C-alpha cells in the first residue's frame, strides 16, 4: 500500500513532466540502441537505480520512463574553482554508460567544458537560458566559490563577472539547485586552510535551498540519481545534517565495506605492501577514514561498479565529508585523537588507534559499539606485522 501510494505520486508527477516541451530530437532508447545498449540493459540499469534510491525493484519501468523524460529538463551547469573531476566522473567518453548517455540526453543548456560556444557567445547563452527557462531549469554548480572581498579571484567570461555573481543570478530562478562535488558542497580543496581565496560552498552564496552531492568526485550514479530523483518526485529528497540526500549518503563507507570482516576480526594492513595488504585486510591502520565517511562507494563503486578506493588498496580519505582536506589528514594515518566534523553535529574525535572506531560508532547505538569494541580489543593476528 505504501509503495502503491508512492507509485501513484510518481505517476502523477511524470504526467506533468511529460507535458513539458521535449527539447531533444529522438529518444533515449534510440540513443542507447545506437551505442549498443539494449532495452533489456536499460531496464536492468533502471532496476539498479531503483535499489540505489531505496525504491522497490518493481519501480524499474517507472524509473526507465523518468529517464526517457530527461530531455524535458533544461540543465545549467556552472564551473567554479575545481578540477572538473565531477564532470569527468560522468562524461567518460571512452566507454559510454547509461548514466553518461542520459547526461547527453538531458537538455544541457550551458556547460563550459562541453559546449561549443566561448567568450561573448557563451555569456549570451547563459543569460538566454536563464531567461528562457526561468523557474524550470535545474542548476548544477561544480567547484568552490571565492566569496566576499575575494570574489574577484574567480571571474568568468569577457565581462569579468565573478563566479559568485554567476551563481547568485543563476540560482535566483532555478527550480532545483545541486552542489555537485565536495568543492561546491563544502568548499573542497581550495577552501583548505588557510583558504587563500576565501572559497565557500554554494549554500553560502545563495539563500535558496541547495542539495549537496559531495565526493571528490561524486560517482556518476549519485549525480544521475539526483536528476532522476528530481524527475520522479519534483521535491527535495530527505537530507542529512549536511544537506546530502539520505538515499546516497545515509550510511558510512565502513558499514558495507568488503574488508569489514577483517576490521571486526582485528586483521589490519600495518604497512602498504605487507602480508596483510596481500590478504586484503582492513586499511584502518594505514589511514582509512571509512568509519567517519558517509557515502555509498562501498556499495555502488565507480565506473559502472568496477572498483572503488578501498578495493584498489588505499583507504578512504573521507572525500565526501566537510573540510576533509583539513580534518581527515594525514591520509595514511589513523585519525587517532584529531577532531573531525560529524554528520550528527559538532566535532568528534576517534578515541585512539587502539580503540578503533568506538568514538564514531558509539553514537549509533550500543549494539554496534559493542560489536566494534570486540573487534578493537582483539589483538592483531600474527603475520600482520
Ligand atoms: Fe574536482 Fe569537481 Fe574534487 Fe571538486 O570534483 S574531483 S576538486 S569535488 O569540484 O572537479
Ligand atoms: Fe573498510 Fe576502511 Fe572500514 Fe577497514 S576501516 S572496514 S578498509 S571502510
Ligand atoms: Fe571518497 Fe572515500 Fe568514496 S575517499 S570516493 S568517500 S571511498
Amino acid at each position: 500500500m505504501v509503495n502503491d501510494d508512492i507509485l501513484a505520486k510518481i505517476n502523477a508527477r511524470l504526467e506533468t513532466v511529460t507535458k513539458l516541451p521535449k527539447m531533444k530530437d529522438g529518444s533515449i532508447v534510440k540513443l542507447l540502441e545506437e551505442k549498443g545498449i539494449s532495452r533489456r540493459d536499460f531496464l536492468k540499469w533502471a532496476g539498479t537505480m531503483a535499489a540505489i534510491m531505496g525504491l522497490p525493484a518493481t519501480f524499474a519501468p517507472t524509473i526507465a520512463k523518468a529517464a526517457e523524460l530527461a530531455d524535458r529538463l533544461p540543465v545549467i551547469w556552472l564551473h567554479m574553482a575545481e578540477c572538473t573531476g565531477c564532470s569527468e566522473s560522468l562524461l567518460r567518453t571512452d566507454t559510454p554508460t547509461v548514466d553518461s548517455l542520459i547526461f547527453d540526453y538531458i537538455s544541457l543548456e550551458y556547460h563550459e567544458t562541453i559546449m561549443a560556444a566561448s567568450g561573448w557567445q557563451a555569456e549570451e547563452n547563459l543569460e538566454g537560458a536563464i531567461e528562457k527557462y526561468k523557474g524550470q531549469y535545474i542548476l548544477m554548480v561544480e567547484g568552490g566559490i571565492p566569496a566576499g572581498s575575494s570574489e574577484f579571484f574567480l571571474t568568468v567570461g569577457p565581462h569579468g563577472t565573478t563566479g559568485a555573481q554567476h551563481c547568485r543570478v543563476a540560482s535566483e530562478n532555478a527550480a532545483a539547485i545541486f552542489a555537485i562535488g565536495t568543492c561546491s558542497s563544502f568548499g573542497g580543496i581550495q577552501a583548505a586552510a588557510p583558504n587563500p581565496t576565501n572559497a565557500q560552498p554554494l549554500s553560502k552564496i545563495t539563500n535558496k535551498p541547495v542539495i549537496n552531492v559531495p565526493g571528490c568526485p561524486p560517482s556518476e550514479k549519485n549525480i544521475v540519481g539526483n536528476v532522476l530523483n528530481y524527475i520522479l518526485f519534483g521535491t527535495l529528497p530527505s537530507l542529512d545534517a549536511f544537506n546530502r540526500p539520505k538515499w546516497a549518503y545515509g550510511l558510512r563507507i565502513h558499514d558495507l565495506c568488503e574488508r569489514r570482516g577483517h576490521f571486526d576480526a582485528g586483521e589490519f594492513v600495518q604497512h602498504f605492501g605487507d602480508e596483510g595488504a596481500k590478504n586484503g585486510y582492513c586499511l584502518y591502520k594505514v589511514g582509512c577514514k571509512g568509519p567517519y565517511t558517509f557515502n555509498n562507494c562501498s556499495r555502488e563503486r565507480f565506473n559502472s561498479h568496477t572498483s572503488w578506493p578501498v578495493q584498489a588498496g588505499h583507504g578512504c580519505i573521507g572525500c565526501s565529508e566537510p573540510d576533509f582536506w583539513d580534518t581527515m589528514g594525514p591520509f595514511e594515518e589513523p585519525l587517532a585523537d584529531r577532531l573531525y566534523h560529524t554528520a550528527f553535529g559538532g566535532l568528534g574525535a576517534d578515541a585512539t588507534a587502539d580503540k578503533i572506531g568506538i568514538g564514531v560508532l558509539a553514537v549509533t547505538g550500543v549494539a554496534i559499539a559493542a560489536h566494534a569494541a570486540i573487534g578493537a580489543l582483539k589483538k592483531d593476528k600474527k603475520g600482520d606485522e
Side-chain angles (χ1 to χ4, degrees), residues 81-87 142-144 180-184 188-190 215-218 319:
E82 33 82 8
C83 77
T84 308
C86 306
S87 294
E142 177 176 359
I180 302 293
T182 297
C183 302
S184 183
I189 185 166
Q190 49 281 312
C216 191
C319 82

Side-chain angles (χ1 to χ4, degrees), residues 253-254 257 259-260 263 282-284 288-291 308 310:
I253 296 294
H254 189 61
C257 176
R259 299 187 190 223
R260 178 60 187 263
F263 174 92
C282 168
L283 297 160
Y284 178 86
C288 182
K289 306 300 185 297
W308 65 293
V310 166

Side-chain angles (χ1 to χ4, degrees), residues 48-256:
T48 306
M49 291 311 296
I52 293 174
M53 290 189 279
L55 297 170
T58 49
F59 280 35
T62 312
I63 288 176
K65 166 102 177 121
E68 284 170 35
L69 295 173
D71 69 334
R72 264 62 168 191
L73 286 181
V75 173
I76 293 177
W77 182 300
L78 300 181
H79 282 282
M80 298 291 131
E82 33 82 8
C83 77
T84 308
C86 306
S87 294
E88 279 298 327
S89 172
L90 197 57
L91 302 168
R92 302 163 53 248
T93 44
D94 54 339
T95 48
T97 60
V98 178
D99 303 284
S100 61
L101 290 171
I102 283 182
F103 210 66
D104 274 357
Y105 189 59
I106 283 170
S107 179
L108 255 186
E109 292 300 313
Y110 184 89
H111 188 299
E112 283 148 10
T113 315
I114 54 174
M115 67 189 189
S118 63
W120 299 103
Q121 205 193 349
E123 284 279 280
E124 276 172 27
N125 284 4
L126 178 60
E127 285 162 20
I130 290 174
E131 193 47 42
K132 186 169 171 197
Y133 301 111
K134 220 172 187 172
Q136 296 167 37
Y137 60 87
I138 294 185
L139 175 65
M140 295 187 151
V141 177
E142 177 176 359
I145 306 146
S149 57
S150 300
E151 265 190 31
F152 67 90
F153 277 122
L154 175 62
T155 61
V156 187
H159 295 107
T161 313
T162 65
Q165 180 62 5
H166 264 182
C167 290
R168 280 190 289 267
V169 171
S171 59
E172 207 46 52
N173 292 301
I177 306 175
F178 296 95
I180 302 293
T182 297
C183 302
S184 183
S185 300
F186 306 128
I189 185 166
Q190 49 281 312
N195 193 355
T197 61
N198 190 28
Q200 298 296 328
L202 181 62
S203 55
K204 293 262 173 75
I205 305 294
T206 173
N207 40 32
K208 303 272 171 191
V210 175
I211 300 169
N212 288 332
V213 186
C216 191
S219 69
E220 72 277 17
K221 289 272 183 289
N222 284 357
I223 301 174
V224 168
N226 271 294
V227 173
L228 279 178
N229 211 275
Y230 179 70
I231 299 175
L232 288 168
F233 296 102
T235 51
L236 284 180
S238 166
L239 302 172
D240 77 356
F242 295 136
N243 281 354
R244 300 177 288 201
K246 283 190 183 160
W247 63 260
Y249 300 90
L251 291 176
R252 275 168 294 253
I253 296 294
H254 189 61
D255 295 336
L256 295 175

